[in-house]
Amino acid sequence: MNAAILGGTRGIGRALARALAERGARLCLLGRDEAELARSAADLQARGRAAAVSIVRCDLDSPAEFGPALEAAELALGGLDLVVVTAGAFGTQEQLEADPDLCRLVLDLDFTKTILFCEQARVRLLARGGGTLCVFSSVAGDRARKPVALYGAAKAGLSHYLDGLELRFGSSGLRVVTVKPGFVHTAMTEGLRAPPFAATPERVATAALRGIERGRRVVYAPPIWRGVMAAVRALPRPVLRRVSF
């Protein structure tokens, strides 16, 4: 399998890169920090896991880099079977309400620019007859809630787009895997109080890889979130007004 991972140098992306390497995948890591890309590639090669690892600079905040980066990844790997997007941004509701610049950045990266990257990726996958596009959304997008009104709005929009993408191009060979983690212990969430069902990046990566291999359309990671969010979606609106989760 030839896989390009945008965000493969940190957290869930790095854990997924290691899991794919253990499967013998040929990898191209995409990210904005070239020194971190080089360190991550060296880490995979030192572990003796990856069949091949290449790196390409690609900043999610710079759409002009998307096409050239994906083209470079294709050339390095000899084609793409899988494109993964784990890159994104996060802020708590309080941080986003207090900081308009941070709010704009999170909404822009997690919705608009992630979709623009996916559009470039799906064109390249379909040009070769199809492939898998795996994108990390969030359980925060499953239903509007007070603590994630802004972040959840961006993830809800992203999940909606991915659902439509599968409807539009699934019959043409494009498999779309939408991964919805809950709280994950990463640099983004450092210092925040962990809620129930918090997971490690490795546990989320394992669930995502299983979903990729089995062709799941939606993956909750860890799986318990599927039931949790079904219950949350069923809550009457007056209840949601009173609760703080």
Side-chain angles (χ1 to χ4, degrees), residues 70-95:
L70 286 165
E71 182 176 2
E74 270 192 306
L75 288 172
L77 298 174
L80 290 172
D81 305 307
L82 168 67
V83 177
V84 179
V85 183
T86 64
F90 175 77
T92 66
Q93 183 67 20
E94 291 74 18
Q95 290 170 334

Side-chain angles (χ1 to χ4, degrees), residues 23-236:
R23 298 287 205 276
R26 293 162 52 84
L27 301 175
C28 183
L29 304 180
L30 280 61
R32 63 182 177 180
D33 187 331
E34 294 183 59
E36 188 60 40
L37 285 169
R39 280 195 291 272
S40 296
D43 169 71
L44 290 170
Q45 289 165 336
R47 291 165 182 264
R49 290 172 169 171
V53 183
S54 54
I55 59 174
V56 174
R57 176 185 157 75
C58 183
D59 185 350
L60 183 59
D61 200 22
S62 180
E65 298 181 18
F66 298 168
L70 286 165
E71 182 176 2
E74 270 192 306
L75 288 172
L77 298 174
L80 290 172
D81 305 307
L82 168 67
V83 177
V84 179
V85 183
T86 64
F90 175 77
T92 66
Q93 183 67 20
E94 291 74 18
Q95 290 170 334
L96 299 180
E97 288 174 350
D99 187 341
D101 289 337
L102 177 62
C103 185
R104 179 199 57 77
L105 179 69
V106 169
L107 296 176
D108 193 30
L109 291 182
D110 289 352
F111 179 69
T112 303
K113 286 173 178 166
T114 296
I115 290 175
L116 292 177
F117 182 86
C118 290
E119 284 294 288
Q120 296 263 351
R122 65 96 178 155
V123 167
R124 291 183 178 278
L125 289 169
L126 288 171
R128 298 178 63 90
T132 300
L133 178 62
C134 173
V135 183
F136 280 67
S137 183
S138 170
V139 298
D142 263 25
R143 189 173 184 190
R145 289 179 290 131
K146 291 191 289 188
V148 287
L150 288 163
Y151 176 73
K155 291 300 188 179
L158 177 60
S159 295
H160 189 90
Y161 158 76
L162 294 169
D163 194 24
L165 198 63
E166 193 278 332
L167 288 172
R168 182 163 175 78
F169 295 107
S171 61
S172 300
L174 182 69
R175 291 196 307 164
V176 180
V177 180
T178 303
V179 182
K180 297 182 177 182
F183 186 99
V184 185
H185 294 285
T186 67
M188 281 187 182
T189 59
E190 189 174 357
L192 299 179
R193 186 165 62 90
F197 316 122
T200 63
E202 289 73 21
R203 189 175 181 194
V204 173
T206 297
L209 183 54
R210 188 182 303 120
I212 292 169
E213 292 175 335
R214 296 180 181 180
R216 304 289 192 201
R217 188 172 60 81
V218 178
V219 175
Y220 286 87
I224 193 172
W225 279 107
R226 179 178 293 278
V228 172
M229 294 314 299
V232 170
R233 289 194 299 272
L235 288 174

